[in-house]
């Protein structure tokens, strides 16, 4: 007889999603498979009653509400889910502080991995460098570089189909 409770299918899916997200941040630029191909599954894995979250998608906002996370505008949210990505809005994201860098936001958006500008990633978790293409507007990377000052900044997850790439604040991004 097992003393550990059995996980439900939903619990197993949420744990697998959270695991993929953490590995994506640990190995920036390397796509990770998700058990669910949508932002609602990511919200379910990341959010709880101690989080504030924003979504520009009303259907996703309802799914976020079911997690118990407090609704917030993008500038106050811990987690920002954006379907319609606008690079200039990066400036409004929480960056944390020197004393509390963990207060920086986590941005989750969608983009294709095989199109857009070629990027060279380097930094912790990357052996040398990794080259990728992400179909986000080219000015995204200049704005990100302008506003991030380590240890302050934000984490970025980019979803494409059933895969996700994570870019922590420590990742240097060079447009090739």
């Amino acid at each position: 007889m097992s003393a550990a409770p059995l996980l439900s299918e939903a619990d197993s899916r949420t744990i697998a999603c959270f695991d993929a997200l953490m590995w994506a941040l640990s190995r920036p630029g390397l796509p990770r498979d998700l058990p669910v191909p949508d932002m609602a599954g990511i919200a379910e894995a990341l959010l709880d009653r101690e989080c504030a979250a924003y979504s520009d998608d009303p259907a996703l906002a309802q799914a976020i509400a079911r997690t118990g996370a407090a609704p917030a505008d993008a500038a106050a949210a811990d987690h920002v889910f954006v379907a319609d990505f606008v690079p200039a809005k990066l400036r409004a994201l929480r960056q944390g502080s020197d004393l509390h860098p963990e207060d920086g936001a986590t941005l989750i958006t969608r983009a294709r991995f095989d199109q857009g500008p070629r990027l060279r990633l380097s930094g912790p978790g990357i052996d040398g460098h990794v080259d990728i293409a992400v179909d986000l507007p080219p000015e995204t990377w200049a704005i990100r570089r302008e506003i991030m000052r380590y240890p302050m900044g934000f984490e970025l997850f980019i979803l494409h189909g059933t895969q996700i790439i994570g870019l922590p604040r420590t990742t240097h991004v060079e447009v090739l």
Side-chain angles (χ1 to χ4, degrees):
M1 176 190 236
S2 174
L6 296 176
L7 295 175
S8 69
E9 184 177 324
D11 289 338
S12 294
R13 182 182 61 246
T14 301
I15 291 168
C17 186
F18 185 82
D19 187 56
L21 294 169
M22 294 304 101
W23 274 108
L25 285 180
S26 297
R27 298 289 182 249
L30 300 181
R32 294 287 172 175
D33 292 325
L34 290 172
V36 289
D38 60 23
M39 288 192 190
I42 295 170
E44 185 181 40
L46 289 179
L47 302 179
D48 60 26
R49 292 184 183 127
E50 294 185 18
C51 299
Y54 167 82
S55 175
D56 63 357
D57 175 0
L60 181 57
Q62 289 180 354
I64 288 171
R66 288 190 293 274
T67 69
D73 64 19
D78 301 308
H79 302 277
V80 178
F81 294 82
V82 177
D84 294 321
F85 183 80
V86 177
K89 292 186 177 182
L90 292 174
R91 290 184 174 90
L93 294 177
R94 289 179 26 190
Q95 302 291 314
S97 67
D98 286 332
L99 190 56
H100 293 286
E102 72 278 6
D103 288 341
T106 299
L107 173 64
I108 302 95
T109 193
R110 293 180 184 277
R112 293 185 58 93
F113 295 163
D114 54 355
Q115 296 179 357
R118 299 278 312 151
L119 307 172
R120 176 159 290 162
L121 310 179
S122 59
I126 301 171
D127 185 15
H129 67 269
V130 172
D131 293 345
I132 62 171
V134 176
D135 194 21
L136 289 174
E139 63 271 22
T140 301
W141 312 109
I143 293 170
R144 180 182 181 270
R145 184 174 48 256
E146 171 191 319
I147 62 177
M148 304 256 284
R149 186 178 61 78
Y150 184 80
M152 298 178 350
F154 60 90
E155 271 60 64
L156 173 61
F157 284 110
I158 305 166
L159 178 64
H160 175 215
T162 60
Q163 292 192 313
I164 194 141
I165 288 176
L167 297 178
R169 68 191 73 200
T170 56
T171 301
H172 175 73
V173 178
E174 175 188 355
V175 179
L176 299 178

